[in-house]
């Protein structure tokens, strides 16, 4: 992603991503409510690279700017795709280690949202690499983003539950479980035991749980038994470039 920017009329930097980088959207569904809770913006490189890979390919000093520009681009594209016509939120990936001053980092996305008619309360920032930050850094990000009306997610909690303490201590709105854990509950007894243990712990900490990698109907059918109703994966909808895909929320007959 090219790190050059220029200001736009709303004060946010113009996104100007590297040629070949596109933004897809995939819903996060609330199956208990029977609706899409949010659409997550997902960066895709020319060879299918995901957000984490694209950020990692950049020089460290270019990552903060690229992260901000990707957020601005996600807001504008989501609104052009019709996000403003419904009540779903917009979930934006963010490379947590690139966040220096949290208010300065989030402000371009908020400016872009307001310029498009989207209130900040409908923005969610999914923090990738949150576990790489110190406690004070992470606490400040969650606090400052919350004061602006935005929600935060911690992206990535796997079978080893290594970062469970961090999630509880710094209290994002929700935690995304890794596909490795979620997708294995049909075939793996150990994955089922892990999920049965983990989800009550997260709820006791006041955290919402989002299951990712829900790619089959078998996994989809089992998750309510674990008390999990926020889900994302191919079973709900595949990501679509530049569009908000319709979610399939009904259980198979």
């Amino acid at each position: 992603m090219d790190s050059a920017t220029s200001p736009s009329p709303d004060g946010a930097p113009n996104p100007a991503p590297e040629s070949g980088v596109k933004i897809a959207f995939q819903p996060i569904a609330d199956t208990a409510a029977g609706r899409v809770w949010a659409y997550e913006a997902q960066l895709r490189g020319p060879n299918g690279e995901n957000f984490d890979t694209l950020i990692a390919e950049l020089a460290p000093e270019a990552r903060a700017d690229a992260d901000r520009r990707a957020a601005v681009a996600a807001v504008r594209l989501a609104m052009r795709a019709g996000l403003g016509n419904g009540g779903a939120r917009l979930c934006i990936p963010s490379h947590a280690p690139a966040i220096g001053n949290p208010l300065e980092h989030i402000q371009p996305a908020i400016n872009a949202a307001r310029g498009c008619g989207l209130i900040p309360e409908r923005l969610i920032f999914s923090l990738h690499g949150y576990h790489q930050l110190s406690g004070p850094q992470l606490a400040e990000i969650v606090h400052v983003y919350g004061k602006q009306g935005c929600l935060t997610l911690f992206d990535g909690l796997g079978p080893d539950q290594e970062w469970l303490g961090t999630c509880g201590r710094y209290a994002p709105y929700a935690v995304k479980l890794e596909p490795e854990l979620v997708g294995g509950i049909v075939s793996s007894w150990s994955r089922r035991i892990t999920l049965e243990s983990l989800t009550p712990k997260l709820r006791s900490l006041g955290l919402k749980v989002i299951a990712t990698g829900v790619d089959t109907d078998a996994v989809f059918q089992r998750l309510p038994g674990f008390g999990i109703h926020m889900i994302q994966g191919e079973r709900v909808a595949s990501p679509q470039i530049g569009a908000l895909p319709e979610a399939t929320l009904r259980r198979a007959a």
Side-chain angles (χ1 to χ4, degrees):
M1 287 178 287
D2 186 348
S3 63
T5 60
S6 58
S8 66
D10 59 17
N14 285 318
E18 182 183 13
S19 176
V21 175
K22 301 181 183 300
I23 296 178
F25 295 97
Q26 187 176 32
I28 299 172
D30 181 344
T31 57
R35 62 181 177 86
V36 172
W37 177 67
Y39 286 96
E40 181 180 43
Q42 300 178 353
L43 268 66
R44 292 288 180 266
N47 298 309
E49 301 95 330
N50 64 16
F51 173 78
D52 291 329
T53 300
L54 291 168
I55 288 290
E57 290 174 348
L58 297 174
E61 63 271 16
R63 292 172 185 170
D65 185 64
D67 196 67
R68 289 190 294 265
R69 289 186 295 107
V72 169
V75 168
R76 293 177 179 163
L77 186 56
M79 290 300 284
R80 286 201 296 271
L83 184 74
N85 298 330
R89 300 173 186 262
L90 175 62
C91 183
I92 301 170
S94 186
H95 182 60
I99 300 172
N101 181 306
L103 184 57
E104 290 179 1
H105 196 86
I106 197 178
Q107 201 63 55
I110 290 177
N111 290 346
R114 287 175 173 153
C116 296
L118 184 68
I119 60 174
E121 286 76 9
R122 288 179 64 186
L123 297 180
I124 308 163
F125 288 86
S126 181
L127 301 180
H128 294 234
Y130 67 92
H131 54 275
Q132 299 177 38
L133 300 184
S134 68
Q137 287 175 303
L138 199 52
E140 185 182 15
I141 291 170
V142 173
H143 174 69
V144 170
Y145 282 26
K147 283 190 69 175
Q148 303 308 306
C150 305
L151 299 180
T152 51
L153 309 182
F154 285 179
D155 188 283
L157 186 61
D160 58 11
Q161 306 182 41
E162 184 176 0
W163 309 114
L164 178 60
T166 301
C167 295
R169 191 172 300 114
Y170 300 108
Y173 179 79
V175 174
K176 293 180 75 173
L177 303 181
E178 294 177 355
E180 177 189 0
L181 171 59
V182 175
I185 61 172
V186 173
S187 59
S188 170
W189 175 82
S190 65
R191 292 289 188 265
R192 290 194 294 273
I193 294 298
T194 298
L195 202 58
E196 286 174 357
S197 168
L198 179 58
T199 52
K201 292 176 184 176
L202 290 169
R203 285 195 294 269
S204 72
L205 294 169
L207 305 176
K208 303 289 185 184
V209 181
I210 299 174
T212 66
V214 184
D215 296 334
T216 68
D217 194 63
V219 174
F220 180 88
Q221 300 277 8
R222 280 183 176 265
L223 286 172
F226 295 92
I228 297 176
H229 302 284
M230 304 275 277
I231 64 172
Q232 182 181 37
E234 295 285 339
R235 170 57 179 78
V236 177
S238 300
Q240 289 187 23
I241 301 293
L244 306 179
E246 184 176 350
T248 301
L249 301 177
R250 291 185 178 181
R251 298 188 183 187

